[in-house]
Amino acid sequence: NANRTIFFPIHAAVARNPAREETWLSRSELHINWGALLASRRDDPMEHYGRGVKDIGKAIELNAENDALWLRRGQLRVNTGSWVSSTKSDPTEWYRAAVDDYGEALKRNDQRDETWMSRGYARALLMAWTPHAGGDPEKLFTDLEADFGAALKLNPKNAETLWRRGYGRTLHGSWSDALADFNAALKINPQLEGRLRKWIDECRAKE
């Protein structure tokens, strides 16, 4: 079948050279992309997401000092959590694991703004679920503000960081600050208009 045909070459590569981190990462990325395709069709991607997480874990075992590997696993865990959330199930274990992965990445390299932004956003996603799954929303908010602040210190013109911080601020009810973030993101990247319009209107209604 198509699945077997696509995966056969990379399975063979891993078997030939299991001590090479790039091979495990390549197979992980293939699982991630296949899972994303299934998710786009509303088919269950969990098997492939799970295998992707496992393969990145093998790459990390081979080179634990590579911050990009920890970052990538955190991103996959957030994607997996988002799928779980779309099925009306509790995704918080995935988001918490992502926060931990981003933390490991930052121990190794704290100069990558994408990692700070990603951890802040994972905290925001956790914050959205805390009324249902427990946790301390005020601490999550304090922590996500620190993460986004660190990201913007490294890259103040990153529109994605700004709108994601704005999203976190809406969860806290900080409507004026959220609106400022959304407007700043739009000024940098006007193509975000469609994504942000609903939140901008909500912020203006609740200011």
Side-chain angles (χ1 to χ4, degrees), residues 58-126:
K58 296 293 287 188
I60 288 172
E61 288 176 14
L62 292 167
N63 186 3
E65 294 309 304
N66 185 342
D67 70 290
L69 295 174
W70 294 98
L71 171 61
R72 191 70 184 105
R73 190 169 71 176
Q75 291 168 335
L76 174 54
R77 283 175 161 162
V78 165
N79 291 345
T80 305
S82 296
W83 167 262
V84 172
S85 177
S86 75
T87 68
K88 309 302 182 184
S89 299
D90 182 356
T92 53
E93 67 174 294
W94 292 99
Y95 297 148
R96 289 191 182 102
V99 168
D100 290 342
D101 277 344
Y102 297 139
E104 292 297 327
L106 289 166
K107 288 177 186 177
R108 291 154 175 83
N109 179 7
D110 62 1
Q111 297 301 302
R112 192 192 293 265
D113 69 290
E114 182 184 6
T115 310
W116 290 105
M117 176 194 69
S118 296
R119 190 169 71 172
Y121 188 58
R123 293 192 201 277
L125 294 171
L126 269 173

Side-chain angles (χ1 to χ4, degrees), residues 10 20-30 32 55-56 59 66 68-69 72:
I10 194 62
R20 187 179 181 192
E21 70 178 91
E22 293 86 353
T23 311
W24 290 102
L25 182 60
S26 294
R27 189 169 73 175
S28 172
E29 292 294 341
L30 190 55
I32 292 168
D55 281 351
I56 297 178
N66 185 342
L69 295 174
R72 191 70 184 105

Side-chain angles (χ1 to χ4, degrees), residues 92 96 126 129-137 140:
T92 53
R96 289 191 182 102
L126 269 173
W129 272 85
T130 50
H132 312 285
D136 184 346
L140 282 169

